[in-house]
């Protein structure tokens, strides 16, 4: 494969690795581990601009409010997946409390995943508005007008 045909970084690996959507190399968050300190300001502390391509992350004032919808969608998807997995593995019955055990297990799962879900929802939301640009070093950054 020649240098011109070299594939760029993968979308899914960059998204889950919480990388910049424009260059897919720079980090979105200052701290790699959101579980190190259980403080919201620590978990969501982001760079203002990408350290690699200088893409501004907060495209307009209040930009991150939309991540609530993305986080809700991810939470519903995880809950549906855990419901199906529980149903296939253990099943549900009218004669015992397995549905309540699933509710408790799902609640604990969502609480444990919440710091990661908040970060992924921010990354996914930013990926909606900023596309990958392999010539990021030669072109201007994405801005809202």
């Amino acid at each position: 494969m020649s240098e011109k045909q070299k594939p760029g970084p993968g979308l899914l690996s960059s998204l889950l690795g919480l990388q910049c959507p424009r260059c897919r190399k720079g980090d979105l968050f200052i701290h790699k581990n959101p579980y190190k300190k259980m403080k919201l300001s620590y978990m969501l502390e982001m760079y203002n601009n990408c350290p690699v391509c200088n893409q501004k992350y907060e495209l307009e004032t209040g930009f991150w409010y939309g991540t609530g919808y993305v986080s809700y969608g991810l939470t519903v998807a995880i809950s549906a997946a855990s419901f199906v997995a529980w149903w296939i593995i253990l099943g549900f019955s009218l004669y015992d409390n397995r549905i309540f055990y699933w509710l408790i297990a799902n609640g604990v799962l969502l609480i444990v995943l919440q710091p990661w879900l908040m970060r992924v929802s921010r990354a996914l939301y930013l990926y909606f508005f900023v596309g990958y640009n392999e010539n990021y070093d030669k072109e201007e950054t994405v801005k809202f007008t």
Side-chain angles (χ1 to χ4, degrees):
M1 199 178 264
S2 70
E3 188 64 34
K4 284 219 180 243
Q5 296 174 345
K6 186 177 177 185
L11 173 66
L12 191 59
S13 64
S14 298
L15 176 65
L16 294 178
L18 303 172
Q19 304 292 318
C20 171
R22 184 166 176 250
C23 65
R24 294 186 184 167
K25 294 179 182 174
D27 290 328
L28 289 173
F29 295 93
I30 294 173
H31 309 288
K32 292 279 191 190
N33 185 359
Y35 296 97
K36 191 171 183 180
K37 283 186 185 176
M38 286 299 165
K39 192 173 180 185
L40 192 60
S41 62
Y42 178 86
M43 287 183 231
L44 295 178
E45 190 174 9
M46 297 179 72
Y47 294 105
N48 292 327
N49 295 12
C50 175
V52 176
C53 69
N54 204 31
Q55 169 64 46
K56 186 175 180 184
Y57 289 150
E58 188 168 357
L59 300 180
E60 65 182 6
T61 304
F63 177 72
W64 299 118
Y65 287 124
T67 61
Y69 298 106
V70 177
S71 181
Y72 176 75
L74 290 173
T75 301
V76 169
I78 289 172
S79 295
S82 74
F83 180 83
V84 170
W86 191 282
W87 190 3
I88 290 171
I89 295 170
L90 297 175
F92 290 107
S93 172
L94 296 173
Y95 304 108
D96 60 15
N97 294 327
R98 283 184 260 184
I99 188 83
F100 298 112
Y101 298 145
W102 168 76
L103 284 171
I104 292 168
N106 188 58
V108 168
L109 175 69
L110 292 176
I111 289 170
V112 168
L113 289 179
Q114 191 58 40
W116 180 78
L117 281 172
M118 288 188 299
R119 284 183 167 206
V120 169
S121 65
R122 277 193 173 206
L124 186 58
Y125 191 65
L126 188 59
Y127 271 65
F128 287 145
F129 296 101
V130 180
Y132 174 65
N133 185 351
E134 61 185 22
N135 300 319
Y136 64 85
D137 53 346
K138 299 175 185 109
E139 297 176 13
E140 197 172 325
T141 62
V142 175
K143 299 175 187 169
F144 277 167
T145 53

